């Protein structure tokens, strides 16, 4: 009940006309960037970080929350109407949603995606309301060795286990950790990795790195692969409301998708791609009309979209309770906390209680605004897809440069922006994931701090890193997370290389015939 009382207080703070305006702006911006292929909520939040310097923290995070949820919703529009997922988590929606659109049921596909997103987002946010304070209370009791182990677990899971290539993931993590070392050591004032330059002594601004890697890198990548062929967009016609049959086929997938998606976001190894894939497989297995799958089954849109938004809500549990981001957008939001001088982590919910509960309340408000605004605006979002890409990315480059300069008014930051933009382009060229880099950059200093605290507590003895039971358990989990996939892969390769039948020492039959 205490959580509900605090949430009610947050709703009172978030429901002021000014804050509602920021929520609506965030929702519209999020849908805008989610609709356009290649522009995700992480890029949008990174671009807007400098713009929000003049806002109160609560207003900035209300807008960021709207962008996050709006981006999740907007990705489904592109998937359904263009068969091009605006977000990687919308890939499964494209399979059935685009087929529905081609059969003249685009409005129904968009409607089940919107209603499913609303239900999943609302249930997920309420779960965050009840779970995050409990996790934060437990996290306060965690010592430095255990917290160090938890940070390492998040890094290993996000980087090495969930990515398509462990090597590329760890390369990105190493680069991020190295960038986080640049500048003066906060404890000893010794210079590190600054190549003797006083311009780097004050450390590299996270905003410059995020805007460079996400916005500039993506703009350069799209410019290098810009296609002149016009997009084939399926028009939205008819009523967006669901028929009784459509509703009857959708409500169970909405709930199942929510149940699958939330845990993947709440565990520090989240990401929305896996739960949406699992949700699609489950709905395909449980569907009454299995033959419709691949031809436009509404269950194949309802379940994955619910899983997508439930996962997005779940990411706020580790972000608010532990200060651990598990998605690119959550990483940028963590950087936003730090820019306001707020240190995310177990103390966040007690030291900045008003901000946290206002943020959680704004998630509910933004989720409702998404449903109210976006269902009737679906045809408008479809027209937005016709925006010429050169105009769009020229604007992104302009705002990226303006934002990087506005942070500290140093021309040198524009040079750094170009460097990190080139780095972002190279990472896309060689399929190196961006999230581990941002994760290493943001969590690296915290990991170093906890490492030093653990050693200080043990008088410099390395055994101090594992002198807590929780730390030992977490390190065992890390070892299993790394070893089990390797062992399973080796076993599968061994089975594939094993001949299917008994080996005849005298050789194959055709050879015996030749000998005879």
């Amino acid at each position: 009940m205490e959580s509900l009382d605090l949430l009610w207080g947050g709703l009172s703070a978030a429901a002021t006309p000014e804050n509602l305006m920021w929520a609506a702006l965030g929702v519209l911006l999020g849908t805008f960037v989610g609709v356009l292929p290649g522009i995700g909520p992480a890029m949008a939040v990174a671009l807007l970080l400098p713009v929000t310097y003049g806002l109160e923290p609560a207003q900035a995070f209300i807008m960021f929350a709207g962008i996050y949820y709006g981006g999740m919703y907007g990705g489904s529009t592109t998937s359904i109407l263009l068969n091009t997922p605006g977000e990687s988590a919308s890939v499964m929606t494209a399979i059935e949603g685009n087929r529905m659109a081609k059969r003249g049921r685009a409005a129904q596909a968009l409607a089940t995606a919107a209603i499913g997103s609303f239900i999943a987002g609302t249930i997920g946010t309420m779960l965050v309301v009840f779970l995050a304070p409990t996790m934060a209370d437990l996290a306060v009791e965690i010592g430095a060795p255990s917290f160090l182990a938890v940070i390492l677990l998040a890094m290993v899971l996000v980087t090495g286990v969930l990515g398509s290539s462990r090597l590329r993931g760890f390369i990105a993590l190493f680069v991020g950790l190295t960038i986080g070392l640049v500048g003066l050591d906060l404890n000893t004032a010794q210079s590190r990795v600054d190549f003797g330059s006083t311009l780097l002594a004050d450390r590299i601004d996270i905003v410059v790195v995020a805007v460079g890697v996400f916005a500039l890198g993506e703009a350069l990548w799209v410019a290098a692969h810009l296609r002149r062929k016009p997009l084939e967009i399926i028009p939205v016609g008819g009523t967006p409301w669901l028929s009784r049959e459509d509703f009857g086929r959708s409500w169970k997938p909405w709930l199942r998708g929510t149940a699958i998606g939330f845990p993947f976001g709440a565990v520090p190894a989240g990401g929305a791609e896996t739960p949406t894939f699992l949700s699609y497989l489950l709905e395909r297995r449980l569907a009454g009309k299995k033959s419709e799958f691949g031809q436009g089954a509404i269950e194949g849109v309802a379940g994955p979209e619910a899983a997508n938004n439930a996962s997005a809500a779940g990411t706020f549990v580790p972000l608010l309770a532990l200060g651990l981001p598990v998605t690119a957008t959550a990483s940028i939001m963590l950087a936003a906390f730090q820019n306001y001088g707020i240190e995310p982590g177990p103390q966040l919910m007690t030291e900045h209680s008003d901000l946290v509960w206002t943020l959680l309340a704004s998630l509910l408000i933004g989720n409702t605004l998404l449903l109210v605004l976006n269902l009737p605006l679906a045809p408008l979002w479809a027209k937005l897809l016709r925006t010429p890409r050169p105009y769009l990315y020229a604007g992104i480059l302009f705002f990226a440069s303006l934002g990087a300069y506005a942070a500290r008014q140093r021309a040198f930051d524009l040079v750094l922006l170009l460097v990190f933009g080139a780095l972002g382009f190279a990472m896309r060229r060689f399929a190196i994931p961006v999230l581990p880099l941002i994760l290493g950059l943001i969590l690296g200093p915290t990991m170093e701090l906890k490492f030093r605290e653990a050693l200080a507590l043990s008088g410099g003895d390395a055994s101090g890193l594992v002198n807590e039971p929780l730390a030992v358990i977490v390190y065992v989990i890390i070892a299993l997370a790394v070893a089990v996939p390797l062992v399973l892969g080796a076993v599968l390769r061994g089975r594939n290389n094993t001949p299917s039948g008994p080996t005849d020492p005298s050789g194959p039959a055709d050879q015996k015939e030749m000998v005879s």
Side-chain angles (χ1 to χ4, degrees):
M1 292 302 294
E2 184 184 357
S3 294
L4 289 178
D5 291 339
L6 292 168
L7 179 64
W8 181 252
L11 277 171
S12 302
T16 62
E18 191 175 4
N19 286 341
L20 285 175
M21 180 194 72
W22 291 114
L25 182 62
V27 164
L28 293 173
L29 279 173
T31 309
F32 175 85
V33 300
V35 164
L36 295 172
I39 305 180
M43 180 199 285
V45 175
L47 276 173
L48 289 173
L49 270 181
V51 180
T52 57
Y53 284 161
L55 299 179
E56 294 293 324
Q59 295 171 343
F61 283 101
I62 285 172
M63 188 166 67
F64 290 156
I67 291 173
Y68 195 18
Y69 272 12
M72 292 294 111
Y73 173 85
S76 65
T77 304
T78 319
S79 299
I80 292 168
L81 301 182
L82 198 61
N83 199 24
T84 303
E87 278 283 298
S88 56
S90 302
V91 170
M92 306 315 295
T93 304
I95 296 175
E96 301 299 331
N98 188 252
R99 294 297 177 93
M100 285 183 69
K102 286 181 177 175
R103 290 169 50 194
R105 287 169 50 79
Q108 285 70 35
L110 289 169
T112 193
I115 298 172
S117 298
F118 170 75
I119 291 173
T122 303
I123 295 175
T125 303
M126 291 308 297
L127 289 173
V128 174
V129 166
F130 289 106
L131 289 180
T134 304
M135 281 192 67
D137 290 341
L138 294 174
V140 170
E141 306 297 328
I142 296 176
S146 299
F147 208 92
L148 171 66
V150 172
I151 293 175
L152 283 172
L153 174 65
M155 286 185 172
V156 168
L157 291 179
V158 173
T159 301
V161 176
L162 297 180
S164 57
S165 167
R166 293 184 187 84
L167 178 61
R168 292 190 180 100
F170 281 112
I171 289 173
L173 179 64
F174 175 76
V175 173
L177 290 170
T178 305
I179 296 172
L181 288 175
V182 173
L184 295 179
D185 185 329
L186 295 179
N187 291 322
T188 65
Q190 290 183 328
S191 61
R192 300 187 302 191
V193 207
D194 62 1
F195 307 104
S197 172
T198 55
L199 292 170
L200 290 173
D202 198 22
R203 308 177 77 87
I204 297 177
D205 195 318
I206 292 176
V207 174
V208 175
V209 181
V211 172
V213 172
F214 278 106
L216 201 58
E218 183 67 26
L220 293 174
W221 178 251
V222 172
H225 297 80
L226 199 59
R227 296 179 179 177
R228 300 293 179 188
K229 183 180 177 182
L231 300 172
E232 296 179 2
I233 304 168
I234 300 173
V236 182
T239 172
W241 308 115
L242 297 176
S243 67
R244 178 172 292 185
E245 181 190 358
D246 289 332
F247 189 85
R249 294 175 59 181
S250 295
W251 73 271
K252 288 181 181 176
W254 290 335
L255 297 179
R256 286 193 288 260
T258 303
I260 294 173
F262 185 82
F264 276 86
V267 174
E273 293 82 3
T274 305
T276 54
F277 178 69
L278 292 176
S279 173
Y280 179 80
L281 291 182
L282 180 64
E283 297 309 326
R284 187 168 184 163
R285 179 175 292 274
L286 297 179
K289 299 180 178 178
K290 291 185 173 59
S291 59
E292 281 195 16
F293 269 81
Q295 306 299 321
I298 196 168
E299 295 93 336
V301 179
E305 275 304 306
N308 183 9
N309 273 55
S311 174
T315 58
F316 283 94
V317 175
L319 178 67
L320 297 177
L322 302 172
L324 295 178
V326 294
T327 65
T329 311
S331 299
I332 306 300
M333 290 180 73
L334 190 69
F337 275 117
Q338 293 173 341
N339 273 349
Y340 279 105
I342 300 169
E343 195 58 41
Q347 302 292 342
L348 178 66
M349 300 202 74
T350 53
E351 295 179 355
H352 301 278
S353 175
D354 293 344
L355 174 62
V356 170
W357 290 104
T358 303
L359 172 63
L360 290 175
S362 72
L363 293 175
L364 294 175
I365 292 174
N367 208 29
T368 307
L369 288 175
L370 270 173
L371 186 68
V372 173
L373 293 178
N374 283 338
L375 268 182
L377 289 179
L380 175 66
W381 296 125
K383 290 180 181 177
L384 192 67
L385 291 169
R386 300 183 186 278
T387 304
R389 293 295 179 271
Y391 297 166
L392 186 65
Y393 284 94
I396 289 174
L397 289 177
F398 172 76
F399 283 108
S401 304
L402 192 65
Y405 182 76
R408 292 189 288 190
Q409 290 89 44
R410 296 194 317 172
F412 181 66
D413 283 340
L414 291 176
V415 177
L416 289 177
L417 179 72
L418 286 175
V419 170
F420 289 114
L423 177 64
F425 176 83
M427 293 178 76
R428 287 163 176 82
R429 168 64 182 81
F430 296 104
I432 296 174
V434 175
L435 176 57
L437 184 149
I438 298 297
L439 202 64
L441 174 65
I442 293 175
L443 291 185
T446 305
M447 186 175 70
E448 181 183 0
L449 176 66
K450 296 298 178 185
F451 179 75
R452 287 181 170 178
E453 284 182 10
L455 287 181
L457 290 172
S458 63
D461 191 340
S463 64
L465 300 176
V466 289
N467 63 357
E468 292 183 357
L470 178 59
V472 175
I473 294 171
V474 174
Y475 283 124
V476 170
I477 295 173
I478 292 174
L480 291 174
V482 173
V484 169
L486 293 175
V487 173
L488 288 177
V491 170
L492 290 175
R493 283 194 298 273
R495 286 183 179 176
N496 292 335
N497 293 332
T498 302
S500 56
T503 303
D504 187 347
S506 59
D510 54 349
Q511 290 183 13
K512 287 191 287 187
E513 289 175 1
M514 290 173 66
V515 171
S516 61

